[in-house]
Amino acid sequence: MKTDKTFTLTNDDTGESWTLPVLDGTEGPSVIDVRKLYADTGHFTFDPSYTSTASCKSRLTFIDGDEGVLMHRGYTIEELTDNSTFLEVAYLLLEGDLPSQKQMDDFTHNVTYHTMVHEQLHKFFTGFRRDAHPMAVMCGVVGALSAFYHDSLDIWDPKQREISAHRLIAKIPTLAAMTMKYALGQPFVYPRNDLNYAENFLHMCFALPAEPYKVSPTLAKAMDKILILHADHEQNASTSTVRLAGSSQANPFACISSGITSLWGPAHGGANQAVLAMLREIGSVDRIPEFIERAKDKDDPFRLMGFGHRVYKNYDPRAGVLKASCDEVLDELGVENEPLLEIARELEKIALQDEYFVERKLFPNVDFYSGIILKAMGFPEEMFTVLFAVGRTVGWVSQWKEMIEEPTLRIGRPRQLYTGPKKRSYVSIDKR
Ligand code: ACO
């Protein structure tokens, strides 16, 4: 929102100065509006990893990284994980407010009745190797949804946008579970409409035709919580990817598939899988100091996976909730003395006391504990990032919808600082 405040920019060589407007949000730092900077001054700003750039306005999610606060539409993540459900948070993110009972019933019905995927999609899976990474399969099959649901591809029609949003929230868990089943060589399990979102997802992942599968309420509750914790996180790499793809007016299925590709990397959602690999590599509590030293060594590419965050310079509030959930899940499953959990707890303790980590404000992030819970639940490690994508789909879709509904929508097109050769003449190959 425009304020009376301004910022003055002065060219030290010429003495010329320009007054830039300052915009205020409802929370967080104000921003200097540089949209007319190039037209007025002939200069661009330079911010390659977006450490100081707000790429959009958004009403969805607020993070105070210094205080370790995460809020969706004004509600803290702790309040939501304590009181809400994933589908209610999905409604909140998509629509802006908590639903009435009637709105919740309708939304639940709409999502539940879109959980099946076109039967032809089943054939896509057989085109992949069984040992393909599930994220590779997800990039393909989610993108392929746009080849099946032609009746909801018109992004300018609010009804079609709504149907696409419901389809994505409903079908991504089905595709994720199919991805897992395909890798395991087991038959696909169809969704069940009598189960809630988390229960149905666990059912599709773990049921077998040969025997009945009873979903554990503790595990379903933990799964629901994990999905809430991953639902949205303002303008992270994958969400910004979805927005940039969507700004060209690409269809929502294609945009979400681009978000999945961005999430895959170990610096982002892929970290949950990397954490477990790291804990296994450390192997025992007495080897932790050696790995802490390696993480601090600038000549060693090793980093403590699940530690550090671009925005949080405090404990990631999602990690706190997951740490508490970890005990509940391991208790329910009767897992005593999980060695990787013991290493994780000790690693956290040592790192939080180490000057290197303290100085750089490196705290555990959401990925630090999620892998341990998911492993205990029986998910193969390659599935961890897929589970992140299942939760984050709601955030991606809500952010995409918010962007499309913005009257000032324009294609996203960053500029650059060119550092290549100046203009030169072509030299024929015999003269080079
Ligand atoms: N282990 C050791 N040192 C680290 C770590 C780490 N995990 N993370 C950051 N640092 C150090 C950097 O070397 C740097 O040190 P320096 O100032 O001496 O050069 C300093 O801390 C700042 O780190 P940057 O890389 O500049 O921070 P950036 O914001 O670019 O990166 C990131 C954030 C990618 C999350 C980083 O902390 C990291 O690689 N962490 C491990 C991977 C991970 O857990 N990713 C999940 C992120 S959360 C999510 O996506 C859900």
Side-chain angles (χ1 to χ4, degrees):
M1 289 146 229
K2 203 164 185 310
T3 63
D4 293 336
K5 292 177 262 174
T6 54
F7 233 79
T8 301
L9 183 74
T10 306
N11 182 326
D12 290 338
D13 289 336
T14 63
E16 261 184 298
S17 67
W18 298 271
T19 303
L20 302 171
V22 169
L23 311 179
D24 275 349
T26 43
E27 300 258 16
S30 303
V31 300
I32 304 165
D33 182 351
V34 294
R35 280 175 290 183
K36 296 216 174 92
L37 191 75
Y38 178 58
D40 290 349
T41 71
H43 289 72
F44 296 137
T45 54
F46 182 62
D47 188 18
S49 308
Y50 306 111
T51 49
S52 299
T53 297
S55 60
C56 62
K57 290 192 286 191
S58 180
R59 294 180 299 278
L60 270 76
T61 292
F62 173 72
I63 301 173
D64 182 336
D66 295 323
E67 295 298 322
V69 170
L70 166 63
M71 297 194 299
H72 296 314
R73 304 275 192 188
Y75 301 100
T76 66
I77 193 68
E78 290 85 357
E79 225 185 328
L80 292 172
T81 45
D82 278 352
N83 301 300
S84 190
T85 61
F86 177 68
L87 269 195
E88 190 180 59
V89 173
Y91 183 97
L92 175 70
L93 283 167
L94 267 176
E95 306 297 338
D97 283 306
L98 289 170
S100 66
Q101 189 60 57
K102 162 93 175 75
Q103 287 167 328
M104 190 63 213
D105 292 345
D106 290 348
F107 182 65
T108 305
H109 178 274
N110 288 339
V111 171
T112 305
Y113 283 84
H114 274 124
T115 47
M116 282 177 67
V117 294
H118 194 291
E119 200 61 17
Q120 192 72 10
L121 253 168
H122 290 215
K123 302 210 171 95
F124 268 63
F125 283 84
T126 50
F128 290 101
R129 283 170 54 145
R130 296 252 181 205
D131 62 354
H133 195 287
M135 285 296 274
V137 179
M138 285 297 281
C139 296
V141 292
V142 173
L145 290 176
S146 42
F148 288 88
Y149 301 103
H150 298 147
D151 58 341
S152 63
L153 295 183
D154 179 357
I155 63 164
W156 305 119
D157 176 350
K159 190 70 205 160
Q160 294 198 33
R161 283 202 297 273
E162 183 182 70
I163 295 172
S164 281
H166 294 164
R167 280 184 168 149
L168 277 157
I169 295 166
K171 291 183 199 304
I172 295 240
T174 311
L175 293 174
M178 288 168 77
T179 301
M180 177 167 147
K181 289 294 191 189
Y182 183 71
L184 294 173
Q186 294 176 3
F188 297 140
V189 174
Y190 284 87
R192 261 181 53 188
N193 290 356
D194 59 320
L195 300 176
N196 72 30
Y197 193 86
E199 287 168 348
N200 177 50
F201 182 50
L202 291 176
H203 163 78
M204 291 189 294
C205 289
F206 294 111
L208 290 167
E211 55 190 23
Y213 172 75
K214 186 150 172 18
V215 185
S216 143
T218 311
L219 297 194
K221 201 169 134 227
M223 188 75 241
D224 199 70
K225 220 176 245 193
I226 290 171
L227 295 175
I228 297 178
L229 290 172
H230 289 87
D232 192 45
H233 214 230
E234 55 119 302
Q235 308 312 319
N236 55 82
S238 56
T239 301
S240 298
T241 304
V242 169
R243 278 191 178 254
L244 197 53
S247 77
S248 75
Q249 302 171 20
N251 76 69
F253 302 109
C255 295
I256 300 311
S257 150
S258 74
I260 292 174
T261 59
S262 171
L263 184 73
W264 191 358
H268 193 8
N272 56 12
Q273 185 183 342
V275 168
L276 231 62
M278 174 190 76
L279 294 175
R280 199 167 294 116
E281 194 190 346
I282 295 176
S284 64
V285 169
D286 55 297
R287 291 190 67 205
I288 293 174
E290 177 195 325
F291 282 83
I292 298 261
E293 286 316 307
R294 280 188 60 193
K296 289 157 42 174
D297 180 357
K298 293 287 166 218
D299 297 326
D300 189 328
F302 176 78
R303 280 191 164 197
L304 278 196
M305 298 315 285
F307 260 78
H309 197 275
R310 170 61 62 79
V311 182
Y312 291 119
K313 303 302 167 199
N314 201 327
Y315 211 94
D316 178 343
R318 302 167 300 173
V321 176
L322 272 181
K323 193 177 174 181
S325 242
C326 226
D327 292 326
E328 261 174 60
V329 169
L330 298 184
D331 267 4
E332 160 81 8
L333 295 168
V335 180
E336 281 172 27
N337 308 324
E338 163 57 71
L340 295 183
L341 182 61
E342 198 195 333
I343 298 170
R345 285 201 175 120
E346 197 55 27
L347 180 63
E348 179 187 346
K349 205 160 86 192
I350 296 176
L352 289 179
Q353 289 163 359
D354 191 289
E355 202 182 320
Y356 173 95
F357 290 87
V358 174
E359 250 176 31
R360 288 167 181 76
K361 299 188 173 160
L362 299 169
F363 290 87
N365 58 49
V366 69
D367 293 319
F368 193 66
Y369 283 104
S370 62
I372 294 171
I373 304 189
L374 296 172
K375 177 176 176 278
M377 283 178 161
F379 284 103
E381 285 167 39
E382 292 74 25
M383 279 298 290
F384 293 178
T385 315
V386 173
L387 292 158
F388 192 149
V390 171
R392 185 55 56 86
T393 295
V394 165
W396 290 331
V397 174
S398 305
Q399 299 261 1
W400 169 82
K401 182 170 164 280
E402 182 181 62
M403 181 188 69
I404 298 293
E405 288 168 2
E406 189 67 57
T408 55
L409 170 68
R410 289 176 82 190
I411 189 166
R413 175 56 167 94
R415 302 305 298 260
Q416 62 170 10
L417 177 66
Y418 175 70
T419 56
K422 282 187 173 295
K423 183 168 185 266
R424 49 184 169 166
S425 299
Y426 180 82
V427 179
S428 61
I429 198 159
D430 55 314
K431 301 221 170 69
R432 279 175 229 158

